[in-house]
Amino acid sequence: MRLKLVPDQTSIDFFRHYRLTFGTSIVAMVLSVVAFAIMGLNFGIDFRGGTSIRTEATQPVDIGAYRDAMTPLNFGDVAITEVFDPAFGADRNVAMIRIQAQEGTESVTPAQLDTVLSALQQVDPTLSFAAVESVGPKVSGELVQSAIIAVTLALAAVLFYIWLRFEWQFSVGAVAALVHDVVLTIGLFAVLQIRFDLAIIAAILTIVGYSLNDTVVVFDRVRENLIKYKKRPLKEVLNISINETLSRTVMTSVTTLLALISLFVLGGDVIRGFVFAMIWGVIVGTYSSIFVGAAMMLRLGVKRDWSKNAADKAGAQFGVKEG
């Protein structure tokens, strides 16, 4: 028996209270900006600077034991990951330890490094430091700037792509949905003070791609139905299109969430922030495709006729023809 999360035929009126849902989204975005301005983000080592230590040992790496040994030292944000690289050799168990920049200094001092080494050698006497590197404020500032540029260029590329493939109203709706997702994600991280590092930037860019994919599927069906139902009101055409793609949207979102929730529970602390951002992104991205992107199209109106005769007419004919 085939699993069905959504019936084949649905007739949900997604825009019955679209002014309320659209207004709620705007309010949520404003609150996210306020939270970011007041509380700021809990930047990780990638953005605040700090020290990266590569350890080697003859015994297998025990991340939990390493973290327990480091906790009493009160160094703040400490990230520990095991490194698997054939170049290191099978007998060289390698881990990367990243410690945030300490107050008053750009990196961990030699005395503090000795303290870290002593603490870790209580866990594994064979452990040694193979390399120590520091990331200063200048490099961290460049990473912040690069992250902002990356997200901005991604949104600009989406705007251009949708504009070429559809119409400008579709493009505005898609970008509005993506900006909504990015702003709410940043606002959530500001409120919860979850560590914000380069992995979260990767998650945000992934969210942009996921949300865009869902939005394009809906918009493609909208364009088909605008040609098919030329005399139906735009609101009705949008509802038909979203209902026709609802089963696909729900199935994709649910299966993606199942994988992400498994990673969140079993994946460990290293990827938990990334996975949390992805879980939130899937939820808010699915919501924004309908209640932000499509709602924006409803407010702007769209061209209803893509025939050659209509294209030959002088001037582009926008707005909604009902009859």
Side-chain angles (χ1 to χ4, degrees), residues 6-272:
V6 177
D8 291 332
Q9 301 293 330
T10 58
S11 56
I12 302 172
D13 185 358
F14 291 97
F15 301 101
R16 183 177 181 180
H17 304 293
Y18 87 94
R19 289 183 177 86
L20 175 62
T21 55
F22 193 73
T24 302
S25 296
I26 293 176
V27 172
M29 291 175 66
V30 172
L31 292 177
S32 296
V33 172
V34 172
F36 171 74
I38 295 176
M39 305 176 67
L41 294 172
N42 179 21
F43 287 114
I45 296 170
D46 295 329
F47 296 129
R48 284 191 298 185
T51 299
S52 178
I53 305 170
R54 181 164 68 88
T55 69
E56 293 183 358
T58 58
Q59 298 181 20
V61 174
D62 187 339
I63 294 178
Y66 285 12
R67 184 172 287 109
D68 291 340
M70 293 283 296
T71 300
L73 302 181
N74 296 320
F75 282 140
D77 184 12
V78 177
I80 306 174
T81 56
E82 186 173 1
V83 179
F84 298 95
D85 190 336
F88 293 146
D91 58 338
R92 295 166 66 187
N93 300 286
V94 180
M96 294 297 297
I97 301 175
R98 296 187 297 170
I99 305 173
Q100 72 176 45
Q102 302 301 297
E103 187 173 353
T105 62
E106 294 185 3
S107 60
V108 177
T109 65
Q112 290 171 328
L113 286 175
D114 291 338
T115 303
V116 173
L117 180 60
S118 298
L120 293 176
Q121 285 181 339
Q122 297 297 317
V123 178
D124 183 355
T126 67
L127 184 142
S128 62
F129 289 169
V132 178
E133 298 178 350
S134 296
V135 178
K138 181 178 180 180
V139 175
S140 301
E142 292 175 352
L143 288 175
V144 173
Q145 184 179 10
S146 298
I148 294 173
I149 292 173
V151 175
T152 303
L153 289 178
L155 294 176
V158 168
L159 179 68
F160 183 68
Y161 167 74
I162 300 294
W163 176 58
L164 288 180
R165 179 166 178 176
F166 299 102
E167 298 291 324
W168 69 269
Q169 295 95 335
F170 289 82
S171 182
V172 173
V175 172
L178 297 182
V179 171
H180 169 273
D181 299 344
V182 172
V183 171
L184 260 60
T185 300
I186 293 176
L188 183 66
F189 271 75
V191 171
L192 299 181
Q193 288 295 292
I194 301 173
R195 187 174 65 230
F196 194 92
D197 51 25
L198 287 178
I200 307 305
I201 296 297
I204 290 176
L205 294 175
T206 306
I207 291 169
V208 169
Y210 180 91
S211 180
L212 175 63
N213 178 68
D214 193 45
T215 302
V216 167
V217 169
V218 174
F219 282 6
D220 206 40
R221 186 59 60 89
V222 169
R223 183 173 61 176
E224 292 176 4
N225 286 334
L226 284 173
I227 299 173
K228 183 177 180 181
Y229 305 112
K230 292 182 180 180
K231 294 188 177 182
R232 290 196 180 187
L234 178 59
K235 178 180 176 181
E236 185 177 337
V237 175
L238 289 173
N239 270 320
I240 292 173
S241 303
I242 295 171
N243 277 285
E244 288 178 350
T245 58
L246 186 61
S247 177
R248 177 264 176 204
T249 298
V250 172
M251 183 63 74
T252 302
S253 298
V254 170
T255 52
T256 304
L257 284 173
L258 289 175
L260 290 173
I261 292 172
S262 299
L263 284 173
F264 184 80
V265 175
L266 304 174
D269 183 67
V270 176
I271 63 171
R272 188 157 287 142

